[in-house]
Amino acid sequence: MSNNIVIVGAGECGANAALALREFGYDGSVILVGNEPTAPYERPTLTKGISQLGRPTIDLRTLIERKVEVKLGTTATQIDPFRNVIVMDDGGAIEFERALLATGSSPRRLPSIPISKRVSYIRTLDDALNFWPRIKNGTKLAVLGAGLIGLEVAAVANTLGADVRVFEAATRIMRRSVPDEIAVALHDIHTKKGVSIHCGVGLAEVEERADCIRVHLEDYASFEAEFVLVAVGCVPSVELAKSAGIPIENGIAVNCFLQTSNPSIYAAGDCCSFPFPALAGRRVRLESWRSARELGIIAATNMLGGNRSVDIVPWFWSDQYEITLQVAGIHDDKHQIVRRDLSPDSFVVFGLDDEGRVAAASGIGPGTPRTIKIAERLISRAETISEHHLRNREIDLRRFL
């Protein structure tokens, strides 16, 4: 068997895993396979407008200097788990001793949406390059989905002068990501900027016409737009794992060491789900830039014989207009919610579990990053703090560290 480690997926997770293997002293062959023709880049830039597109994850020269063999524009189509071989779309095959699946995810498609030049999904650099040049002053844009991607695009499009309407099936924006108070504050910010947000509305049909596209809602209302952005979540890319007979459970099922049911194959990033200790072992799948990077490094550690379980605190950020949102941990509807006001336009919402431990924190406004950084450490240590101490901004939370 070849002394190869093959990484399928050249995004944030895969590229950092490849580099970590070298940093940890692995001197065998490392092959990084990416289905896009471009060097690894940061996906968060895709929703920030045309000026920020394509910022590299890791410079391609750095990977080459570290003797990582990079195969771009190539798709892995199948894994033969008996021979430890990955079959490529060009007919070639790569043997491996160990493999890491960092295949990421793809946008969730809606069957009621026609395939059209007026309908966009943003997941790749090409998607963004096709979308952003169309958004100008006066452009009528309908955004389907009020999650992170939908709202970031809405904010940038609004800044460019577009007439933006956002449609969300849930009763509020960012239903899966932040607690109610944060969602209300973000909703108000968008509304004051001129974005029209409609929550609790179902999509009936999207009808393409000669010069526009018409969005029909289940309540019989309709809205005419020049372009539609669909941002209703992502689906983990699991086809390669399925071909190897690996179980799927909201993504590629891995254990706390990111190892699949096949001991030679690992998975990391937003293609996989793993048991999360802070949620009593419930499986989670993380869809953030930093989590992808950190999980790739953990996978690299364990492929080299390490024994590091997933010990990260999930974290993500979002810039919408001049406002920064940061979230640490995973909010749960069962959490006790405690608000800490930092200033008239800045606050943090903590989520406490049944034992009173800090399990999550979300902050909005200019004063929040420092507090969220402290919250990350509180979450990682499972610290118990009273509601009084969390609410009182005169009390420095660092004392509990």
Side-chain angles (χ1 to χ4, degrees):
M1 184 184 298
S2 298
N3 186 27
N4 281 357
I5 292 182
V6 179
I7 301 171
V8 182
E12 190 72 33
C13 179
N16 276 282
L19 199 58
L21 288 169
R22 290 301 188 218
E23 290 176 350
F24 297 154
Y26 179 69
D27 59 2
S29 175
V30 177
I31 302 172
L32 180 65
V33 177
N35 59 5
E36 293 184 61
T38 53
Y41 58 88
E42 293 186 359
R43 293 193 191 277
T45 63
L46 303 183
T47 57
K48 306 297 193 295
I50 196 73
S51 63
Q52 296 195 46
L53 295 183
R55 191 165 60 204
T57 292
I58 294 173
D59 193 285
L60 193 58
R61 288 174 298 181
T62 301
L63 291 166
I64 294 171
E65 287 169 359
R66 301 293 175 88
K67 294 183 170 53
V68 174
E69 183 180 349
V70 183
K71 294 179 177 291
L72 299 176
T74 307
T75 301
T77 59
Q78 187 178 357
I79 296 178
D80 181 339
F82 303 104
R83 295 188 300 135
N84 276 21
V85 168
I86 298 176
V87 180
M88 312 305 292
D89 61 352
D90 60 5
I94 306 173
E95 292 186 9
F96 64 89
E97 180 183 8
R98 279 150 290 175
L100 171 62
L101 305 183
T103 48
S105 59
S106 59
R108 187 181 302 278
R109 307 279 170 166
L110 294 176
S112 56
I113 304 291
I115 297 174
S116 166
K117 292 182 179 180
R118 294 185 180 274
V119 176
S120 297
Y121 298 81
I122 292 186
R123 180 62 184 174
T124 67
L125 183 58
D126 282 346
D127 292 339
L129 288 171
N130 287 328
F131 174 77
W132 283 115
R134 301 175 176 185
I135 307 304
K136 301 178 175 63
N137 186 41
T139 301
K140 289 186 176 181
L141 173 66
V143 177
L144 307 183
L148 199 63
I149 290 175
L151 292 178
E152 287 190 348
V153 169
V156 176
N158 172 269
T159 302
L160 295 172
D163 176 8
V164 184
R165 294 196 184 189
V166 179
F167 300 93
E168 170 58 52
T171 54
R172 67 164 174 84
I173 65 173
M174 296 192 72
R175 182 68 186 85
R176 294 190 304 122
S177 306
V178 299
D180 289 345
E181 291 184 69
I182 296 289
V184 169
L186 278 174
H187 191 133
D188 289 346
I189 290 166
H190 278 273
T191 300
K192 289 175 182 176
K193 293 288 187 178
V195 173
S196 178
I197 299 179
H198 308 266
C199 292
V201 295
L203 178 69
E205 181 187 11
V206 172
E207 174 192 5
E208 185 175 13
R209 299 184 177 181
D211 58 347
C212 69
I213 198 159
R214 195 157 193 86
V215 178
H216 297 278
L217 305 176
E218 290 179 348
D219 63 1
Y220 304 108
S222 62
F223 173 70
E224 192 174 278
E226 294 171 71
F227 302 105
V228 172
L229 173 76
V230 183
V232 291
C234 291
V235 178
S237 299
V238 299
E239 294 76 18
L240 200 57
K242 279 185 177 180
S243 74
I246 294 170
I248 306 300
E249 189 176 347
N250 184 29
I252 302 168
V254 296
N255 61 20
C256 63
F257 304 108
L258 301 179
Q259 190 176 42
T260 71
S261 59
N262 185 320
S264 298
I265 302 175
Y266 293 72
D270 54 357
C271 67
C272 77
S273 69
F274 54 87
F276 194 62
L279 294 176
R282 191 176 82 201
R283 282 194 169 273
V284 301
R285 187 170 63 85
L286 302 178
E287 300 177 357
S288 75
W289 166 84
R290 195 172 82 174
S291 295
R293 181 183 61 188
E294 292 176 333
L295 292 174
I297 294 170
I298 292 173
T301 300
N302 294 335
M303 284 193 292
L304 298 183
N307 196 36
R308 180 182 171 187
S309 61
V310 176
D311 55 3
I312 66 174
V313 176
W315 175 90
F316 72 86
W317 91 101
S318 176
D319 291 329
Q320 297 175 33
Y321 309 106
E322 68 280 3
I323 299 299
T324 295
L325 164 71
Q326 289 196 14
V327 178
I330 299 177
H331 282 282
D332 190 288
D333 289 340
K334 297 178 182 179
H335 286 165
Q336 176 191 357
I337 298 300
V338 180
R339 173 169 170 158
R340 182 185 183 93
D341 289 305
L342 305 178
S343 69
D345 57 354
S346 183
F347 66 93
V348 173
V349 173
F350 292 91
L352 307 182
D353 66 13
D354 292 340
E355 304 297 324
R357 294 171 296 209
V358 179
S362 298
I364 189 170
T368 60
R370 175 177 172 273
T371 302
I372 293 296
K373 191 67 177 176
I374 295 171
E376 283 189 72
R377 297 174 65 189
L378 295 172
I379 294 167
S380 70
R381 300 181 184 195
E383 294 287 352
T384 300
I385 304 179
S386 72
E387 182 178 342
H388 165 72
H389 289 141
L390 287 174
R391 289 189 186 279
N392 188 347
R393 69 178 183 182
E394 301 303 321
I395 296 176
D396 190 340
L397 294 179
R398 288 178 298 180
R399 63 186 278 191
F400 299 101
L401 299 173

